Amino acid sequence: MKITLEPFVHRGISAVGIRFSFNFELKEYLKKFDGIRWSQTHRCFYVRNTAMVLAALVKYLKAENYVPDLEAFESKKRRKRRFVRQPGQILPALKPHNVLVYQNYIKYLQGKRYSESTVAVYGGFVQEFLQFTGNKPTADLTENDVRLYIEWAVKTLNYAISTHRQLVGAIKQFAFFYPACAIDPEKLNRPRKDHKLPTVLSKEEVIEILRVTRNLKHRTALALLYSSGLRVGEAINLKLNCFDFERKQLHIKNSKGRSDRMVILADSFIPLFQNYYMTYQPKVFFIENPNGGKYSAGTIRTFLKQSCKLAGITKLVTPHTLRHSYATHLLENGTDLRYIQVLLGHSRPETTMIYTHVAQRYLQAIRSPLDTTLLSMSRDKDHGNPFLSDGLSGIKAIK
């Protein structure tokens, strides 16, 4: 299959477009590459055009025997362009004095054992920052240069808060790496995170999703995500030798933060898994694609969406919603918050505390002062039995 990579400008940034004839497996595989986006205007997937991201993308495609065609990309890249650093236009290329600095910064991140995706993302931001500052010597860069770059990036590239926070983190690391510059990392502040409550399914909704999922492999994957509270990345990386059926435990290895943990296996999941194993006979991973390799997170999202539609659930549901539901239902069943933190693999208890805000068992135990007032009045013989609807007969609704 021909996969063409070509550079173009999208919303003022340099991007690499990924074009191919429609293929469902390839589409779902691409969707789980970190930083990939879909352009409705150009009708293709794209990533940021940096050397690190491009190299990571090519390596990612080749890992599944997809061979990208770089001819169009290289031919366009060789064309001479006249760059003007203005909002809405592509930034100039790195100046020669910054190329070595950028390359050493990448090595610095790799030396800190950051993941490939983190190195690519942080490297992209710092490359963009050095392009933005142009001819200014690297040693003369200050917090004011950072401020001007962030203002430009947020306004021109419409960065979300999460991207903004990553950007600041990248430049903080750059300031630690290059202390010769005048940037004080302690003066760089990230914007506050959005504090949104997670979407949680009821127990009945979870069972209905599993019931309408007729494909055995799909049902087994969704059942494990919910019954053990796994992240979708943990599920697709899970190997068969991680299952301990005698102890009814599951060993999650090298999870987020490079940590291991043990989680529980539901009694009801074990016969489902045995049926799935005898039917599909996976060789290495818990769930495998038809070619025997790791399954795609995008495919799981797709069939979960289809199951939600069949179940009549209109909430926005993702694989992580099953994890949120698992934690919330544990809390509602009376499980101690400290145990939930261990099962989820949270490094800080504050992360787990968010589930106290959505647990119905606790919310339903709280009485509104309106109810308590009316209840106390109903016990008072002088007030009789008051209701909010009393005295409303004959009153026309306000339009």
Side-chain angles (χ1 to χ4, degrees):
M1 173 180 293
K2 185 177 181 180
I3 305 173
T4 302
L5 304 184
E6 57 182 18
F8 65 92
V9 179
H10 184 61
R11 294 182 180 177
I13 65 171
S14 179
V16 177
I18 308 165
R19 300 189 183 277
F20 55 92
S21 299
F22 179 78
N23 179 282
F24 181 78
E25 290 295 330
L26 174 57
K27 182 190 76 169
E28 296 302 322
Y29 182 65
L30 278 172
K31 282 165 65 175
K32 66 176 190 172
F33 182 76
D34 191 32
I36 198 160
R37 296 288 185 272
W38 171 261
S39 169
Q40 191 66 29
T41 304
H42 296 274
R43 303 296 300 171
C44 68
F45 287 105
Y46 71 94
V47 293
R48 294 165 60 88
N49 187 359
T50 70
M52 285 298 300
V53 173
L54 180 60
L57 175 63
V58 172
K59 182 179 179 181
Y60 180 76
L61 289 170
K62 289 183 177 179
E64 288 294 315
N65 297 320
Y66 293 118
V67 182
D69 180 4
L70 294 167
E71 182 179 354
F73 180 85
E74 293 296 338
S75 63
K76 290 186 179 181
K77 189 176 179 181
R78 285 193 294 267
R79 295 176 187 171
K80 293 183 178 180
R81 297 173 181 240
R82 181 180 180 183
F83 296 110
V84 180
R85 192 196 314 149
Q86 292 179 355
Q89 294 189 359
I90 193 171
L91 291 172
L94 277 176
K95 299 298 180 182
H97 67 276
N98 279 331
V99 172
L100 184 60
V101 173
Y102 167 74
Q103 292 173 344
N104 287 333
Y105 173 69
I106 297 300
K107 294 178 182 177
Y108 164 78
L109 296 178
Q110 292 169 338
K112 291 177 70 71
R113 303 186 72 88
Y114 284 168
S115 66
E116 285 187 18
S117 60
T118 301
V119 172
V121 171
Y122 275 25
F125 285 131
V126 167
Q127 178 182 343
E128 190 175 74
F129 171 58
L130 294 176
Q131 288 175 280
F132 180 85
T133 54
N135 293 318
K136 189 169 184 177
T138 313
D140 294 340
L141 296 175
T142 66
E143 296 93 32
N144 191 53
D145 295 303
V146 177
R147 178 184 62 81
L148 292 173
Y149 162 62
I150 291 175
E151 290 174 356
W152 172 84
V154 169
K155 180 180 178 181
T156 307
L157 308 181
N158 196 28
Y159 281 159
I161 289 178
S162 58
T163 308
H164 186 170
R165 289 175 58 82
Q166 285 183 314
L167 182 155
V168 175
I171 298 181
K172 274 179 173 283
Q173 289 298 327
F174 177 77
F176 287 126
F177 152 73
Y178 198 80
C181 70
I183 301 173
D184 184 356
E186 301 301 325
K187 293 182 179 179
L188 301 180
N189 298 315
R190 295 182 176 92
R192 292 182 61 183
K193 282 184 178 180
D194 288 333
H195 291 283
K196 297 179 180 178
L197 292 179
T199 300
V200 174
L201 298 167
S202 69
K203 297 170 186 176
E204 294 74 18
E205 286 174 326
V206 173
I207 298 302
E208 184 63 15
I209 287 174
L210 296 177
R211 188 187 69 81
V212 300
T213 305
R214 310 305 297 177
N215 182 287
L216 179 58
K217 180 190 287 189
H218 296 172
R219 179 183 290 188
T220 307
L222 296 181
L224 185 65
L225 285 172
Y226 171 70
S227 63
S228 298
L230 303 188
R231 301 177 178 93
V232 67
E234 294 168 347
I236 61 178
N237 287 309
L238 191 63
K239 294 186 177 180
L240 294 172
N241 58 14
C242 294
F243 288 84
D244 186 345
F245 292 105
E246 290 186 3
R247 301 178 65 188
K248 296 179 182 178
Q249 291 182 343
L250 186 59
H251 189 184
I252 307 300
K253 300 178 181 179
N254 197 26
S255 184
K256 189 174 182 179
R258 295 197 297 272
S259 60
D260 291 5
R261 74 181 190 278
M262 301 296 292
V263 299
I264 57 174
L265 277 175
D267 289 332
S268 54
F269 171 78
I270 295 175
L272 176 64
F273 174 83
Q274 290 172 337
N275 189 0
Y276 154 73
Y277 181 81
M278 294 300 295
T279 303
Y280 287 91
Q281 298 184 347
K283 298 297 186 294
V284 178
F285 295 98
F286 155 63
I287 183 169
E288 297 178 340
N289 63 39
N291 297 323
K294 283 197 297 186
Y295 213 59
S296 163
T299 304
I300 295 178
R301 294 188 185 97
T302 299
F303 64 68
L304 175 58
K305 184 178 179 181
Q306 293 170 346
S307 295
C308 288
K309 186 176 180 180
L310 291 173
I313 296 172
T314 57
K315 297 175 183 177
L316 180 60
V317 179
T318 67
H320 215 70
T321 304
L322 298 176
R323 176 175 161 89
H324 289 320
S325 303
Y326 163 83
T328 304
H329 297 163
L330 281 179
L331 188 61
E332 291 176 346
N333 290 341
T335 307
D336 190 284
L337 206 61
R338 290 170 296 179
Y339 295 134
I340 298 176
Q341 178 187 346
V342 172
L343 290 171
L344 293 177
H346 288 163
S347 59
R348 299 184 303 121
E350 292 82 3
T351 308
T352 317
M353 285 292 291
I354 191 173
Y355 298 109
T356 62
H357 297 288
V358 292
Q360 290 295 317
R361 174 168 167 257
Y362 296 99
L363 293 179
Q364 290 173 352
I366 301 172
R367 295 187 69 88
S368 167
L370 176 61
D371 290 338
T372 55
T373 302
L374 289 174
L375 181 61
S376 64
M377 291 177 66
S378 68
R379 293 170 180 167
D380 188 342
K381 294 181 179 179
D382 294 335
H383 288 95
N385 190 16
F387 292 97
L388 289 182
S389 57
D390 289 350
L392 293 182
S393 59
I395 298 178
K396 295 181 179 179
I398 298 175
K399 296 183 179 180

